[in-house]
Amino acid sequence: MKRLLFLLLTVFFLTGCAASQPTFEDTSSGPAVSTPEPEPPKPTVAHLMVAGDVMSHMPLTHDVYVAETGAYDYGHVLAEAAQQLEKADYAVANLETVLAGGPKYSGFPAFNSPDGLATSLKTAGVDLLSTANNHSRDKGLDGIFRTLDVLDENGLAHVGTYRSQTERDKNSGIYVADVGGISVAFLSYTYGLNGYRLPTDKMFAVNLYNQDYYTTLETPDYEKLRADMEAARGLNPDVIAVMVHWGIEYQYSPNVHQNKVANFLVEQGADLVLGGHPHVLQPYETITTTGWDGQERQGFVCWSLGNFISNQLDPDTKTTAILDLELTRDPITEETALTDVRYTPYYMLHQDGKPVGQRRYLLDVHKAMAEYESGDTSRISSQTYDQLNWALRHCHKILGEEGDRPSV
C-alpha cells in the first residue's frame, strides 16, 4: 500500500509540474513579407503575312513535273519564300487559277493547275487562299467546286467561292481565322469573271462585288457589300480583312474605281484591304474616312502585290513582295491595331537553259544579291544580278524603301 501511494504521488507531481509549466507567446516581429505586384498583362502581337497572285502558266507547270513519280511539286519554286512564311502566325495569298483535275492542264487564258500546287503552298506555309478572281470560272462550276475540295484535302482555308448556297450563307461567306491569338475575319471578292456569267441559281458560287460583272464593270453592288460587312462586324472579330480582285492590269497605281470601293469597305469596318489582279506592284497606304457609325475610321490598303508565282515575262511582273503585317491587341482596351508594316522583295527567276526542276525560282532579292556579292555565281549570273538590282529599285519606288526590312 505504501509503495502504491508513493507511485501515485510521484505520477501526480510529475504530471502536475508538466501541466503547470508556463507557456510564452512569441511576440517578436520578423521581417515584413511584401506581396509582389502582379505583372501587367502583355499585349498580344501577331504577324499576318500576305502574298500576291498565284498563277501557273504552262512553262512553270512543266518545270514542277517530277517524271519519276508523275507528280507536280512546286517546292523548289517556293523554297526561299517558305523560309519567310514559316515565321508568320498566318499567311494568305490569292489563288488565281483553278484545280479542275488533270491531265489536261492549261495556262492563260483559261487556267487549270495540278493539285500539287495546293500541296506545295500548304507545305510552304500558306494558310488561306482567296479564290474569288477573274479566273475562278475558267473551267466552269465543276472547276470551282473541285478546287475547294482539293484545298480542303490539303488543309488550306479558303474564302470567296462556295459549293452551295448553304456554304455561302454560313457566316455570310466569311472565314474567321485565329492569327496568333487575334481573330481576323476574311472576306473575298472579284470585279468579274472575264465575261462569263453565273447561272441565276448559282450566284452563290463566286463573290462578285460588281452588279455589271460580265459587261461594263462599273457599278459596285454596295448593298451586298454593306450586308456582308455588317455580318462581319456582327461576328465581333478583332480585325476585318477584305481581299479584293480589282484594278487595271500592269498599272502601278490604283484607279478611281479601286479608290471608291476601298473607301466604302473601310467605311463599313474593314481594317485591312488587300488587293490583287494588276500583276504588278501598286503602293500601300492608310486611308481615313467616316465610318458607318459616324466615327472617324482608318484602314490599311495594299492596292496590289503583283504576282507571287507566275511565268509572265516583263521584269515588273516578275517582281513581287511578301507583306508582314504586325497586329497588336491591347490587353486593357482589347482594341487591335496595325502596329508595323514591312515587306521582303522577291523576284521570279527564269532559267530556260536549265534542266526541268531548275528553271523557275522565286528568289529573295536581298539573299540572292548577297549570294552573288559573296562570289557565289552558281545560281546568280551578272545578268541576273542586274535584274535583281532593278527589282529592288522598283520595289522601293512603288512600296517605299522604309518598309523593306527583314521579317521578325
Side-chain angles (χ1 to χ4, degrees):
M1 178 65 78
K2 289 182 179 178
R3 186 174 179 180
L4 179 59
L5 181 60
F6 174 80
L7 290 171
L8 290 172
L9 289 171
T10 303
V11 171
F12 172 80
F13 284 114
L14 288 173
T15 58
C17 290
S20 63
Q21 288 178 353
T23 59
F24 299 93
E25 184 177 353
D26 185 4
T27 59
S28 63
S29 59
V33 179
S34 61
T35 304
E37 290 289 332
E39 289 189 12
K42 295 181 179 179
T44 301
V45 180
H47 288 264
L48 171 65
M49 293 193 188
V50 186
D53 300 338
V54 175
M55 310 179 75
S56 192
H57 301 82
M58 288 311 295
L60 176 56
T61 301
H62 290 321
D63 190 50
V64 301
Y65 179 67
V66 183
E68 293 79 7
T69 62
Y72 291 83
D73 185 354
Y74 293 74
H76 69 280
V77 181
L78 295 165
E80 293 195 10
Q83 295 175 19
Q84 177 180 359
L85 294 175
E86 69 181 5
K87 302 175 184 178
D89 292 292
Y90 206 77
V92 303
N94 171 50
L95 183 65
E96 195 163 354
T97 181
V98 295
L99 310 173
K104 292 184 179 180
Y105 300 117
S106 54
F108 183 83
F111 285 92
N112 179 30
S113 303
D115 296 355
L117 178 58
T119 306
S120 297
L121 288 169
K122 178 64 176 179
T123 301
V126 175
D127 297 290
L128 175 143
L129 291 167
S130 170
T131 52
N133 54 73
N134 58 312
H135 289 286
S136 295
R137 201 189 176 285
D138 278 2
K139 296 299 177 180
L141 291 172
D142 289 343
I144 295 173
F145 302 154
R146 188 182 184 279
T147 298
L148 300 180
D149 292 340
V150 174
L151 298 183
D152 286 342
E153 291 165 6
N154 284 276
L156 280 162
H158 46 82
V159 63
T161 57
Y162 309 91
R163 287 163 285 212
S164 67
Q165 187 66 56
T166 301
E167 190 173 48
R168 173 60 173 83
D169 289 344
K170 183 181 179 182
N171 287 346
S172 295
I174 301 161
Y175 186 85
V176 181
D178 180 348
V179 179
I182 293 173
S183 61
V184 180
F186 288 96
L187 301 87
S188 167
Y189 300 91
T190 179
Y191 70 89
L193 298 170
N194 286 345
Y196 286 118
R197 296 181 66 173
L198 294 174
T200 55
D201 63 341
K202 298 292 190 296
M203 293 300 296
F204 59 77
V206 183
N207 270 353
L208 297 151
Y209 73 77
N210 276 325
Q211 293 178 353
D212 52 347
Y213 71 93
Y214 57 90
T215 54
T216 55
L217 312 173
E218 294 177 346
T219 311
D221 189 345
Y222 289 124
E223 290 308 309
K224 176 180 181 176
L225 293 175
R226 182 179 285 107
D228 287 350
M229 292 300 295
E230 183 178 1
R233 299 196 306 269
L235 295 172
N236 199 33
D238 297 311
V239 173
I240 297 175
V242 186
M243 304 176 76
V244 193
H245 214 69
W246 59 8
I248 305 298
E249 292 180 330
Y250 315 116
Q251 289 192 0
Y252 298 152
S253 57
N255 60 17
V256 173
H257 183 79
Q258 286 170 274
N259 274 281
K260 287 180 178 178
V261 173
N263 274 275
F264 183 81
L265 291 170
V266 173
E267 171 194 313
Q268 294 299 313
D271 302 292
L272 308 174
V273 179
L274 308 171
H277 175 64
H279 304 303
V280 294
L281 291 173
Q282 292 183 352
Y284 57 76
E285 61 180 303
T286 298
I287 62 175
T288 302
T289 187
T290 301
W292 81 97
D293 54 0
Q295 302 298 311
E296 184 179 279
R297 296 201 78 260
Q298 288 189 329
F300 172 83
V301 182
C302 178
W303 300 105
S304 171
L305 283 172
N307 297 322
F308 183 44
I309 61 171
S310 74
N311 200 79
Q312 292 193 286
L313 301 179
D314 291 335
D316 51 0
T317 64
K318 297 179 183 179
T319 302
T320 186
I322 295 178
L323 275 186
D324 181 352
L325 306 179
E326 182 185 84
L327 305 173
T328 303
R329 186 177 64 214
D330 187 294
I332 307 300
T333 66
E334 297 188 347
E335 295 292 324
T336 301
L338 176 63
T339 47
D340 190 25
V341 178
R342 58 185 71 193
Y343 70 85
T344 302
Y346 285 85
Y347 186 77
M348 193 74 191
L349 179 63
H350 295 185
Q351 299 183 118
D352 289 325
K354 298 282 187 177
V356 170
Q358 301 177 34
R359 295 174 179 172
R360 299 293 180 268
Y361 290 97
L362 185 62
L363 296 178
D364 179 319
V365 170
H366 287 294
K367 288 182 179 179
M369 291 179 69
E371 180 181 316
Y372 178 83
E373 290 164 359
S374 72
D376 183 354
T377 58
S378 57
R379 285 196 312 164
I380 313 302
S381 65
S382 60
Q383 182 181 11
T384 300
Y385 183 79
D386 290 342
Q387 294 171 6
L388 295 171
N389 235 326
W390 184 93
L392 183 61
R393 294 195 305 271
H394 186 64
C395 279
H396 291 171
K397 178 181 178 181
I398 303 298
L399 303 180
E401 189 170 354
E402 191 276 335
D404 181 5
R405 290 173 284 130
S407 292
V408 295

